[in-house]
């Protein structure tokens, strides 16, 4: 035990002065189809988040190269990484394809490294996970996205959304029809906002770890970069 780095969690360490700017939420979707239902769900989420007081950005994955298929200086990669750094919370929504998230969804996540220099761009940020299906309801994708969110060291909220037969849930104007599915999406966005407001000013403290405090910054950077360069 390194007594110098052993810290007892204290309520007093939590910040009492809350940020006053609008919560910054990034939304990602997982399809390039002209009428992408994951995109339509994300657009509904964005409308709700704006009404709830958030500032939102929706990333368009069109033109994003495959991971390792281009340099990370590619404009679409840089755009994605800048938005991830900008965000305080995120929404991930993917179609289910062959029982899994789409490659388009996974590619976006794979382009976001665990570290940029000594900074972890996703660490401590809130996350809501969602999926759409063309058939019956399942939870394969949201379960996978939760694993990725944990790996990216995000605070994934308890609630989630899974929209079955999504092609029946939108009208001719591409707006979601009133339904239990829509009500759940409102629930998820409301919960995401609450968790973001609760944690954003204390995210660094909440994810501060003893095992990393005992390392020097140089050792930490070397270890993380070694992991990122594997494969």
């Amino acid at each position: 035990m390194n007594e110098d780095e052993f810290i007892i969690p204290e309520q007093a360490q939590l910040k009492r002065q809350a940020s006053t700017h609008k919560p910054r939420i990034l939304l990602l979707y997982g399809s390039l189809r002209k009428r992408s239902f994951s995109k339509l769900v994300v657009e509904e989420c964005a409308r709700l988040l704006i009404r709830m007081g958030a500032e939102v950005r929706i990333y368009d994955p069109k033109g994003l190269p495959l991971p390792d298929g281009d340099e990370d200086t590619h404009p679409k990669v840089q755009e994605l990484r800048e938005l991830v750094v900008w965000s305080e919370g995120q929404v991930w929504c993917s179609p289910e394809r062959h029982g899994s998230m789409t490659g388009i969804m996974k590619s976006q996540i794979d382009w976001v490294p665990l570290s940029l220099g000594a900074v972890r761009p996703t660490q401590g940020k809130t996350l809501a996970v969602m999926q759409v299906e063309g058939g019956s309801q399942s939870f394969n994708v949201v379960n996978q996205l939760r694993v990725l969110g944990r790996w990216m060291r995000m605070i994934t909220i308890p609630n989630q959304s899974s929209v079955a037969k999504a092609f029946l849930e939108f009208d001719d104007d591409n707006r979601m029809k009133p339904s239990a599915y829509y009500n759940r999406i409102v629930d998820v966005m409301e919960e995401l906002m609450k968790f973001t407001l609760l944690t954003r000013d204390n995210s660094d403290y909440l994810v501060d770890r003893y095992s990393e405090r005992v390392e020097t910054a140089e050792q930490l950077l070397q270890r993380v970069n070694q992991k990122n360069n594997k494969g």
Side-chain angles (χ1 to χ4, degrees):
M1 175 72 72
N2 185 326
E3 294 296 338
D4 291 335
E5 298 299 341
F6 183 74
I7 298 174
I8 298 174
E10 296 177 318
Q11 181 76 30
Q13 295 298 320
L14 298 174
K15 294 181 181 177
R16 298 178 182 274
Q17 187 66 38
S19 295
T20 57
H21 66 271
K22 294 181 178 181
R24 299 190 294 262
I25 309 296
L26 170 63
L27 301 98
L28 306 180
Y29 60 92
S31 172
L32 298 180
R33 291 179 177 177
K34 185 175 181 180
R35 195 171 191 235
S36 162
F37 292 107
S38 61
K39 181 180 180 181
L40 294 182
V41 166
V42 156
E43 289 175 344
E44 290 290 344
C45 292
R47 294 184 186 98
L48 290 165
L49 289 167
I50 290 170
R51 287 196 62 186
M52 293 175 187
E55 182 179 359
V56 305
R57 299 285 187 274
I58 299 175
Y59 177 75
D60 180 0
K62 186 176 182 179
L64 181 70
L66 289 172
D68 305 323
D70 211 318
E71 299 297 324
D72 59 13
T73 54
H74 189 285
K76 290 297 293 186
V77 176
Q78 288 298 305
E79 178 190 359
L80 175 60
R81 292 185 175 185
E82 288 170 5
L83 286 172
V84 169
V85 172
W86 166 86
S87 69
E88 296 171 323
Q90 296 181 27
V91 177
W92 296 352
C93 181
S94 174
E96 180 172 323
R97 188 168 296 165
H98 302 311
S100 178
M101 75 185 78
T102 63
I104 294 164
M105 189 77 230
K106 185 61 162 55
S107 291
Q108 293 174 79
I109 299 169
D110 283 348
W111 269 119
V112 180
L114 293 178
S115 69
L116 290 170
V119 177
R120 289 189 172 92
T122 53
Q123 176 169 287
K125 298 183 178 184
T126 52
L127 172 65
V129 295
M130 315 177 78
Q131 72 175 84
V132 296
E133 301 93 46
S136 58
Q137 189 176 49
S138 86
F139 302 93
N140 293 323
V141 171
V142 289
N143 289 337
Q144 293 165 352
L145 291 175
R146 283 188 178 278
V147 171
L148 289 173
R150 175 169 57 84
W151 191 257
M152 303 299 282
R153 303 177 70 167
M154 304 180 78
I155 302 169
T156 308
I157 67 171
N159 214 339
Q160 61 188 25
S161 170
S162 174
V163 181
K165 297 183 180 179
F167 61 93
L168 297 177
E169 298 302 320
F170 290 85
D171 60 26
D172 293 338
D173 294 322
N174 289 328
R175 293 299 307 273
M176 198 166 184
K177 302 172 185 176
S179 68
Y181 291 131
Y182 179 78
N183 292 347
R184 172 59 67 89
I185 289 175
V186 178
D187 288 347
V188 174
M189 293 303 100
E190 183 179 64
E191 189 170 288
L192 177 65
M193 283 289 288
K194 290 175 181 177
F195 271 79
T196 304
L197 291 169
L198 178 67
T199 63
R200 65 174 177 170
D201 294 311
N202 292 289
S203 60
D204 289 342
Y205 179 63
L206 293 172
V207 296
D208 182 45
R209 299 181 178 185
Y210 166 79
S211 61
E212 293 172 357
R213 291 195 300 272
V214 299
E215 292 181 301
T216 66
E218 183 177 352
Q219 288 172 327
L220 177 60
L221 180 59
Q222 183 179 8
R223 177 172 61 80
V224 172
N225 285 342
Q226 283 176 343
K227 287 185 177 182
N228 288 343
N229 289 331
K230 288 181 179 179

